Amino acid sequence: MADLLIFGASRGTGHQLMTMALKRGDHCVAVVRNQQSAEQLNALGATTLVGDANDPITVHQACLLVGKNATIISTLGGEKANYQAQMNIINQAEKSAIKRMILVTSLGCGDSWSFLSERAKQAFGYSVREKTLAESWLATSSLNYTILRPGGLTDGEPTLQAKCYCDQEVHGYIRRSDLASVILAHIDLAKLDNQAYLVIDPSLADKRNN
């Protein structure tokens, strides 16, 4: 049984991850923004704190609640506060003696910036740059980490064909359910390898609605 502290569990990939982790018996703690989300996750078996990832007190309480042997997973979205929230999570993890974190960003972050088209840079370049700042803060922290940079995210049943790539240009899509499975696989590793991976599903190619 793993101890997990999940940020972004109310929706999307984070919610998929939370559901899968609880089903296999993991101890899951989540910070959520409203009581309705908290009640929904509590009903699934999670422990929740209502608050904001930008608030040091809330995040510190969550870290103490889950325990120092936990793995933190952040799937927070691309809102403009993303970097500050991620920085706060990382800082509070260090203060609480937590040693492991998995950060989900996106294709285009860090040294994969050049993989984006000019159109993509114009459309969501700000968010990608914010996430890159979060990656840098994590990489220069005392935490052992894995950074996952998924391609375009889609809904649907898992294909079980997702793959991780390192130091290689790739493009494509991945279903949120498959990304959640990739995250779980990294959680189960005895030691995170301090690497960033691009994550796509080659079987989806560029067919978003496949």
Side-chain angles (χ1 to χ4, degrees), residues 15 28 46 48 60 62 68 86-87 92 95 101 104 111 127 149 160 167 183 192 194 196-197 201:
H15 187 75
C28 297
T48 58
H60 185 64
K68 66 181 182 179
Q86 306 285 22
M87 182 173 66
Q92 297 308 319
K95 291 179 180 179
M101 181 168 177
V104 179
D111 56 7
S127 172
R149 300 168 176 165
L160 306 179
D167 298 324
I183 296 170
L192 301 178
N194 299 343
Y197 296 93
D201 183 344

Side-chain angles (χ1 to χ4, degrees), residues 12-21 24 73 75 102 104 148 150 153 158 162 174-187 199:
T13 302
H15 187 75
Q16 296 257 11
L17 172 64
M18 175 71 80
T19 302
M20 294 167 66
R24 69 178 200 170
I73 306 96
T75 65
I102 297 171
V104 179
L148 300 176
L153 293 169
I174 181 172
R175 292 188 173 155
R176 290 178 175 87
S177 52
D178 282 312
L179 179 56
S181 293
V182 171
I183 296 170
L184 279 178
H186 280 85
I187 288 169
V199 192

Side-chain angles (χ1 to χ4, degrees), residues 107-118:
L107 191 152
C109 289
D111 56 7
S112 66
W113 172 257
S114 62
F115 301 168
L116 295 180
S117 66
E118 288 303 316

Side-chain angles (χ1 to χ4, degrees), residues 135-158:
E135 288 188 358
S136 296
W137 198 261
L138 178 58
T140 56
S141 73
S142 63
L143 302 180
N144 294 319
Y145 67 89
T146 294
I147 295 169
L148 300 176
R149 300 168 176 165
L153 293 169
T154 67
D155 293 320
E157 292 298 315

Side-chain angles (χ1 to χ4, degrees), residues 55-163:
D55 177 35
I57 295 176
T58 298
V59 175
H60 185 64
Q61 289 175 338
C63 289
L64 294 179
L65 184 61
V66 74
K68 66 181 182 179
N69 294 322
T71 299
I72 294 176
I73 306 96
S74 178
T75 65
L76 292 177
E79 64 272 14
K80 292 184 179 181
N82 185 272
Y83 169 53
Q84 287 80 10
Q86 306 285 22
M87 182 173 66
N88 183 45
I89 293 167
I90 295 162
N91 290 347
Q92 297 308 319
E94 290 183 304
K95 291 179 180 179
S96 304
I98 293 175
K99 300 296 184 182
R100 291 164 50 97
M101 181 168 177
I102 297 171
L103 175 62
V104 179
T105 58
S106 64
L107 191 152
C109 289
D111 56 7
S112 66
W113 172 257
S114 62
F115 301 168
L116 295 180
S117 66
E118 288 303 316
R119 181 178 180 181
K121 290 176 182 177
Q122 289 295 323
F124 47 84
Y126 186 99
S127 172
V128 170
R129 292 169 70 192
E130 281 263 316
K131 292 176 181 180
T132 295
L133 290 172
E135 288 188 358
S136 296
W137 198 261
L138 178 58
T140 56
S141 73
S142 63
L143 302 180
N144 294 319
Y145 67 89
T146 294
I147 295 169
L148 300 176
R149 300 168 176 165
L153 293 169
T154 67
D155 293 320
E157 292 298 315
T159 69
L160 306 179
Q161 300 298 315
K163 296 184 181 299

